[in-house]
Amino acid sequence: MQSSDVRKSFLDFFAEKQHTIVPSSSLLPDSPNLLFTNAGMNQFVPIFLSQAPCPYRPPRAADTQKCIRAGGKHNDLDDVGHDTYHHTFFEMLGNWSFGDYFKQEAITWAWELLVDRWNFPPHRLFATVYRPAQTEPASFDEEAYAIWQDVFRSAGLDPQVHILFGSKKDNFWMMGDTGPCGPCSEIHVNLLPDREYRPDTGRSLVNSGSPQCIEIWNLVFIQFNATADGSFVPLPSRHVDTGMGFERVCSIIQGTKGFTQFDNLHISNYATDVFREILLAIAERAISSHSQNQSVLQSIASTECILDFERILPQPLTVAFRVIADHLRTLAFAIADGIWPSNEGRGYVLRRILRRAVKFGRVELGIQGPFLFEIVPALVKKFAPTFPELADQESTIVSVIKAEEESFGKTVERGLSLFREERQRLQSAQIQQLSGEFIFRLYDTYGFPYDLTELLAREAHLTMDREGFDRAMEEQRQRSLAAHKRVVIEVNQDGDSAIVTRFIGYEAGEGKGTVLEVNPQPPFVILSETPCYAEMGGQVGDQGTLYFETETYSILDTQKGKGGAVIHLLDRAFTGPKGAEVFVRIDLKRRHRIAAHHTATHLLHWALRMVLGNRVAQRGSYVGPDRLRFDFSHGKGMTPEELSAVERLVTEKIAADDPVQTRIQSYREVKMDPTIMQFFGEKYGDIVRVVDIGGYSKELCGGTHLASTGEAGFFKIVSESAIAAGIRRIEAVCGAGVTDYAAEEWERLREELSVLARKYQVPLPIDWPEKPGEGSDPSEAWERLEKARGCLLTFREKGRELVRRESKALEEALRKEAVEIYADYHQRARVLPSGVPVVVANLSGSQHASPGLLQAVADAFKQRGWKGILVLGYRDTQKASILVSVSKDYTGQYSAGTIVQKLVPLIGGRGGGRSDLAQGGGGRVEGLEDALSCVWEFLK
């Protein structure tokens, strides 16, 4: 059977058993504690926990689930490539019962599918059953054991041989330390050659780690609830959760040629049609790079031979093929689900995976330049029929991977070069360890990942000074903290004395509070309750005024402290005691502007998803009184049409004056509502706050908002840019922020206009608009800004035309003088003993003396067929310049760049260039004559 037949057969079988066939859930998990969806049961957890009703009738389901196990608890990354069955991405086939059927059906249906439908040889199958050690939970799973006894006896097999017992480690599944759990039965298949196979030898290999006996299916019977006191209480409803390794099943069926051949086996997940098209594309790309392994690669570069690559290729190339094929699947499927490479969390895991694949392609296969993105179409063609999101997002997948490869390519080339130099130095000195200082320099200065250095070191048989690297990292961290200008305040709190401030600012703009903590330097107080919002989630903290008796203090900022404390940073030390009652009033005007920008941020997020698609995901934000900033995942720059569409949608919703409602909900309820946006890098408590704008924009958010969208007023996007690979940033303003932005931008444009007027020596334009004043209508302020921009563009173009005319006249004058200089100087050329003609000239006294004249003279010599060395100098009152030109006939003997580098120290500067043309300059103008007189000495 082909892999598509295996997948279809599995789903069809359970559809016949009245299971609802559900689509795979996203690789972006519902649980904030998971990096990626890593098991088939993830999407059904709320049903198992009775947090949501089962939507299927009857209550049973089956699917093939996309899974990634890289990073976190389940991390197979470092094993991938070095064996035939580990993956970072894999499919898990599974069937579930939610309080419906139980062990009898789960076991007998598993046997029916494997033996009756897929023709697995019964005598090669073994089952494990839970039998606890004395100190382990629950009791012997007699029910499952009895069912397996009947199954094996009906096949004419001895249950005593084919059923094994396992302890908690292998045969008891728990969701966590507490919660749903239960025993499980694993099904293993023995792959010993026919001449060696006997039931007793088959039995001895179960759970031994041997590649000749593979677990293919785990049947979990969820029937207990683990309590905090360590006891196991029967659940009111019992469930079934099974998981089958899709790639493993395919490798067994195809590797044994449909169970007809068990001698000379080659069982490998990679030697299946699951990977055929990807492997073939890798081979073709490696061959096109003129790899040093061309001949051996060509031997596998066909549909008939590619799946034999593990038999034919040397081990390093085999590992490289496995790594690239596996990692590309992970990247493509993750990006299609909106998870992109970045510098943190799951995004950083993807970046590591991509860089590991690139490293193997470059170092082992000799592939030059970006290549992973070129293999994506082969992958999409293979998997899109089952996972259509790959076809929908193909262009995005290609662009994101290509951008990441190009960025990393520069890092790799520099890092590999430095590593090779260091390796040679160590070998010469007979040193076997890379110093922590060198490893850190690669990491910090050149962006070369530690784990990639570690891999290169291992292959070069060098050890790593990890302690030295860690010391350097800590020193860098301390330097970074010392350079951080923002005041970060911490309050020491122990145990029950933890301070909690009650926030009343959603409902009130002022209120009383008791002083719980006072600090003189930096001056701050912590209150029992406050209307001031503490900086969090991108929204800046409130400012305001604190009143105590006859004293008045300005609140400069509000920050989150440890636990639930809110810190009020003051303009001076608080003179009152702990326990004093104070009155606080926030700056309501400032708060309203912040709320306007925060509400507009939600509208912007919604509009981006409407225009660019639901794959857009928030990657960061800033919400202040002056502007909003919104970072989001998107593979390319937005077009003017897309930006206009987004701006129009936000403007329409503001004009509609939709209500902005907030409600407090159980996070369990929120998780089951797909219309509510939640950010999976965040950790949420049991109770969350939902901001609902008009029913179309729903997000978990703790910030402050307007009562309705109409209060936001005029909205304008002011910029869109890239901040990282696959991450874009939009800055926008609304309401009074538009007026302030327009006034600031008007000032900047006015200054530029003045500079241009002085440069061109022309008067300012008379149609320049009046500056938007404070309190001006935002739409009128924006109109004035747009007029100022248009006026400046016109003025700038007139200036450019003036410069073009002057430049043309100057160019003609320079060219004329250059020809005259050529006619004079080439006749006076001196010839070196080597036979090379040399001209050295100081052009400081020429009519149009300038650095531009140096280049014009060099061009004149070149155009007239001059063959030799030309050294030209020029100086004014502030700077000296030197240009060296060497004709192609003599660049093998003399380099212009080398000559310049010898001369420029004499004028106190720097320079460089190519072997045929180089330039330099410096501020020591009096040294020019000395430099030119030294030319002959340098050329000997």
Side-chain angles (χ1 to χ4, degrees):
M1 285 195 294
Q2 294 293 293
S3 58
S4 57
D5 299 325
V6 172
R7 191 189 290 114
K8 183 177 185 301
S9 176
F10 179 91
L11 297 176
D12 287 349
F13 176 84
F14 283 102
E16 293 170 13
K17 305 297 184 185
Q18 296 182 289
H19 289 64
T20 299
I21 307 304
V22 300
S24 170
S25 64
S26 169
L27 286 165
L28 193 61
D30 289 333
S31 170
N33 299 318
L34 289 177
L35 280 174
F36 305 98
T37 297
N38 61 10
M41 57 82 66
N42 288 167
Q43 68 171 304
F44 303 115
V45 167
I47 302 176
F48 290 138
L49 294 175
S50 300
Q51 295 173 352
C54 178
Y56 316 117
R57 293 293 178 269
R60 51 183 76 167
D63 76 351
T64 179
Q65 173 63 52
K66 302 174 292 188
C67 299
I68 291 179
R69 289 187 179 175
K73 179 180 178 182
H74 298 289
N75 185 6
D76 295 335
L77 177 58
D78 293 333
D79 295 317
V80 172
H82 298 287
D83 58 36
T84 62
Y85 52 88
H86 271 106
H87 299 292
T88 53
F89 173 88
F90 62 94
E91 286 182 60
M92 185 175 286
L93 301 170
N95 60 287
W96 289 269
S97 166
F98 308 104
D100 187 20
Y101 64 81
F102 203 47
K103 298 177 185 178
Q104 178 69 44
E105 293 86 349
I107 292 172
T108 56
W109 286 345
W111 184 267
E112 181 183 346
L113 176 63
L114 292 176
V115 175
D116 298 341
R117 292 286 178 93
W118 289 352
N119 298 318
F120 272 71
H123 66 283
R124 289 182 175 271
L125 296 178
F126 296 82
T128 61
V129 171
Y130 176 64
R131 185 168 69 182
Q134 189 170 3
T135 59
E136 291 183 338
S139 57
F140 173 41
D141 192 356
E142 295 185 65
E143 182 181 0
Y145 181 71
I147 297 168
W148 278 117
Q149 279 187 313
D150 292 341
V151 166
F152 282 110
R153 282 181 183 139
S154 66
L157 300 170
D158 184 356
Q160 299 297 319
V161 172
H162 287 269
I163 304 175
L164 296 91
F165 300 118
S167 62
K168 179 181 178 183
K169 175 179 177 292
D170 293 316
N171 284 96
F172 198 88
W173 176 88
M174 298 185 70
M175 185 177 293
D177 293 335
T178 61
C181 58
C184 63
S185 279
E186 297 172 345
I187 303 175
H188 299 251
V189 58
N190 188 282
L191 301 170
L192 281 169
D194 286 330
R195 63 182 179 276
E196 298 178 23
Y197 179 78
R198 296 191 311 278
D200 57 335
T201 56
R203 175 186 176 85
S204 67
L205 293 179
V206 172
N207 280 331
S208 68
S210 170
Q212 293 181 306
C213 190
I214 300 175
E215 176 204 339
I216 58 170
W217 207 345
N218 190 13
L219 315 178
V220 178
F221 311 119
I222 304 174
Q223 62 187 98
F224 300 110
N225 183 47
T227 62
D229 63 7
S231 62
F232 292 82
V233 180
L235 290 169
S237 297
R238 303 184 303 177
H239 313 289
V240 170
D241 162 20
T242 86
M244 174 191 285
F246 170 68
E247 291 84 0
R248 288 188 179 186
V249 170
C250 291
S251 71
I252 293 170
I253 293 174
Q254 295 179 23
T256 61
K257 302 190 184 308
F259 310 109
T260 63
Q261 178 182 312
F262 283 87
D263 294 321
N264 194 29
L265 285 183
H266 180 59
I267 303 297
S268 167
N269 291 3
Y270 296 93
T272 64
D273 75 298
V274 174
F275 290 95
R276 181 191 292 121
E277 287 81 0
I278 302 173
L279 295 168
L280 193 57
I282 296 170
E284 291 170 349
R285 183 62 177 82
I287 291 170
S288 71
S289 290
H290 304 290
S291 165
Q292 68 272 23
N293 302 294
Q294 281 253 357
S295 58
V296 68
L297 288 173
Q298 285 173 341
S299 68
I300 64 166
S302 69
T303 304
E304 294 75 23
C305 300
I306 189 65
L307 294 186
D308 282 328
F309 79 98
E310 291 169 315
R311 298 177 188 264
I312 298 172
L313 297 182
Q315 182 67 7
L317 302 190
T318 295
V319 172
F321 267 78
R322 291 173 184 155
V323 167
I324 296 168
D326 170 84
H327 289 7
L328 184 64
R329 288 210 306 168
T330 301
L331 292 165
F333 276 89
I335 293 169
D337 279 350
I339 313 172
W340 291 9
S342 66
N343 284 330
E344 59 185 10
R346 56 180 65 90
Y348 179 66
V349 174
L350 289 187
R351 182 161 283 168
R352 279 193 63 203
I353 288 171
L354 183 142
R355 292 179 170 186
R356 188 168 186 256
V358 169
K359 182 267 171 188
F360 275 95
R362 285 173 175 265
V363 176
E364 303 298 350
L365 300 183
I367 300 177
Q368 299 304 311
F371 67 95
L372 285 175
F373 77 96
E374 296 178 346
I375 305 170
V376 170
L379 180 149
V380 171
K381 183 179 179 181
K382 174 66 181 177
F383 292 101
T386 305
F387 303 101
E389 62 271 21
L390 291 170
D392 295 341
Q393 297 295 316
E394 182 173 359
S395 62
T396 298
I397 296 168
V398 169
S399 64
V400 170
I401 291 178
K402 183 179 181 182
E404 281 287 319
E405 286 191 273
E406 289 173 343
S407 173
F408 185 52
K410 299 171 185 175
T411 298
V412 168
E413 291 301 327
R414 182 60 175 153
L416 289 175
S417 174
L418 291 170
F419 182 87
R420 285 191 290 266
E421 292 174 7
E422 181 69 2
R423 181 183 61 192
Q424 291 172 358
R425 187 187 72 79
L426 294 178
Q427 287 175 344
S428 300
Q430 296 185 331
I431 298 173
Q432 299 298 315
Q433 186 178 63
L434 284 175
S435 70
E437 179 185 356
F438 173 76
I439 300 167
F440 179 75
R441 183 159 60 91
L442 275 185
Y443 172 83
D444 186 57
T445 305
Y446 300 102
F448 203 73
Y450 178 90
D451 56 328
L452 190 51
T453 305
E454 189 175 40
L455 184 59
L456 293 169
R458 191 184 311 129
E459 292 170 350
H461 305 292
L462 296 171
T463 59
M464 301 270 284
D465 177 14
R466 181 64 196 241
E467 291 184 2
F469 173 80
D470 290 341
R471 280 197 303 272
M473 281 288 287
E474 178 60 23
E475 290 169 3
Q476 171 72 331
R477 191 182 75 84
Q478 294 299 331
R479 287 194 297 270
S480 177
L481 287 175
H484 200 338
K485 294 180 181 179
R486 183 175 182 274
V487 177
V488 178
I489 306 167
E490 291 188 355
V491 183
N492 293 322
Q493 301 173 18
D494 300 310
D496 296 334
S497 64
I499 298 173
V500 177
T501 302
R502 178 172 172 257
F503 176 60
I504 61 172
Y506 290 134
E507 302 83 17
E510 58 186 31
K512 294 180 180 179
T514 302
V515 176
L516 303 179
E517 189 74 39
V518 178
N519 196 72
Q521 192 60 38
F524 70 80
V525 295
I526 299 175
L527 308 179
S528 60
E529 64 180 47
T530 181
C532 293
Y533 182 89
E535 179 178 350
M536 183 176 61
Q539 179 174 328
V540 300
D542 276 332
Q543 295 177 357
T545 307
L546 183 145
Y547 302 91
F548 171 63
E549 295 182 344
T550 60
E551 298 290 326
T552 301
Y553 303 84
S554 292
I555 300 173
L556 305 179
D557 191 16
T558 311
Q559 299 178 15
K560 293 284 285 187
K562 288 184 177 179
V566 173
I567 296 166
H568 302 72
L569 189 64
L570 305 178
D571 62 336
R572 56 195 176 92
F574 182 71
T575 57
K578 283 186 182 182
E581 188 176 80
V582 298
F583 184 80
V584 173
R585 177 179 290 124
I586 64 174
D587 183 338
L588 286 173
K589 181 179 177 182
R590 182 176 182 272
R591 162 71 81 79
H592 186 273
R593 293 175 64 157
I594 294 171
H597 282 125
H598 205 152
T599 302
T601 301
H602 286 235
L603 294 177
L604 175 62
H605 191 185
W606 166 81
L608 284 167
R609 289 168 67 86
M610 293 294 291
V611 173
L612 302 179
N614 289 336
R615 302 292 176 183
V616 167
Q618 181 174 339
R619 291 290 183 262
S621 68
Y622 164 86
V623 179
D626 54 337
R627 70 191 190 285
L628 69 87
R629 185 181 69 226
F630 188 77
D631 301 338
F632 60 100
S633 56
H634 189 54
K636 57 185 178 181
M638 293 178 65
T639 65
E641 294 75 19
E642 289 171 335
L643 285 169
S644 294
V646 168
E647 190 173 85
R648 184 179 67 255
L649 285 172
V650 174
T651 300
E652 288 173 355
K653 292 303 182 184
I654 290 174
D657 198 22
D658 293 320
V660 180
Q661 299 175 325
T662 60
R663 61 179 182 271
I664 305 300
Q665 269 188 259
S666 160
Y667 185 54
R668 293 182 178 182
E669 295 174 347
V670 168
K671 285 198 296 184
M672 296 309 297
D673 186 345
T675 67
I676 299 176
M677 294 289 296
Q678 41 196 305
F679 306 107
F680 299 100
E682 301 290 334
K683 292 184 178 179
Y684 298 107
D686 294 334
I687 302 299
V688 293
R689 185 169 180 262
V690 179
V691 176
D692 184 339
I693 303 179
Y696 52 84
S697 171
K698 301 177 185 178
E699 295 187 20
L700 297 187
C701 182
T704 60
H705 292 272
L706 304 171
S708 66
T709 59
E711 294 182 45
F714 197 65
F715 174 85
K716 277 292 174 183
I717 293 175
V718 298
S719 69
E720 189 272 348
S721 61
I723 60 169
I727 307 296
R728 309 296 300 179
R729 169 172 291 172
I730 280 180
E731 296 204 16
V733 288
C734 68
V738 174
T739 303
D740 288 352
Y741 174 83
E744 291 173 9
E745 188 69 0
W746 186 96
E747 288 282 6
R748 188 188 68 78
L749 296 177
R750 181 67 174 74
E751 177 59 29
E752 184 179 345
L753 185 77
S754 299
V755 171
L756 291 176
R758 290 193 296 270
K759 176 181 177 181
Y760 302 144
Q761 297 183 345
V762 294
L764 295 173
I766 60 174
D767 58 343
W768 186 258
E770 184 181 346
K771 178 182 177 180
E774 184 178 354
S776 297
D777 178 75
S779 61
E780 180 186 336
W782 192 262
E783 186 177 336
R784 289 186 190 179
L785 175 60
E786 288 294 304
K787 186 175 180 181
R789 284 173 173 165
C791 191
L792 179 61
L793 286 174
T794 302
F795 192 75
R796 190 184 292 149
E797 184 53 40
K798 288 180 180 178
R800 285 172 180 162
E801 179 58 31
L802 181 64
V803 169
R804 279 195 291 268
R805 288 200 301 268
E806 291 180 350
S807 297
K808 187 174 182 180
L810 178 61
E811 184 181 346
E812 291 175 355
L814 288 175
R815 187 160 49 243
K816 181 179 178 182
E817 186 169 1
V819 172
E820 293 172 355
I821 291 170
Y822 168 78
D824 179 22
Y825 275 95
H826 94 281
Q827 296 292 339
R828 294 189 273 154
R830 289 175 54 179
V831 179
L832 296 174
S834 60
V836 180
V838 179
V839 167
V840 178
N842 186 343
L843 304 183
S844 301
S846 299
Q847 180 182 359
H848 297 95
S850 67
L853 179 61
L854 303 187
Q855 185 64 59
V857 171
D859 291 342
F861 271 74
K862 184 176 181 181
Q863 291 164 4
R864 283 155 180 77
W866 164 257
K867 295 181 179 179
I869 298 173
L870 179 66
V871 182
L872 303 175
Y874 156 78
R875 57 171 282 187
D876 55 24
T877 58
Q878 295 181 324
K879 185 178 180 180
S881 300
I882 295 174
L883 180 147
V884 179
S885 173
V886 179
S887 61
K888 295 292 185 182
D889 308 72
Y890 301 114
T891 51
Q893 298 172 255
Y894 301 95
S895 168
T898 302
I899 297 171
V900 161
Q901 287 173 359
K902 290 181 178 179
L903 297 175
V904 288
L906 298 174
I907 58 173
R910 296 183 299 176
R914 307 188 304 267
S915 60
D916 63 327
L917 183 68
Q919 299 180 68
R924 188 171 172 270
V925 296
E926 67 276 10
L928 179 63
E929 287 76 10
D930 291 340
L932 295 179
S933 65
C934 290
V935 170
W936 311 105
E937 185 67 28
F938 289 147
L939 294 177
K940 285 183 179 179

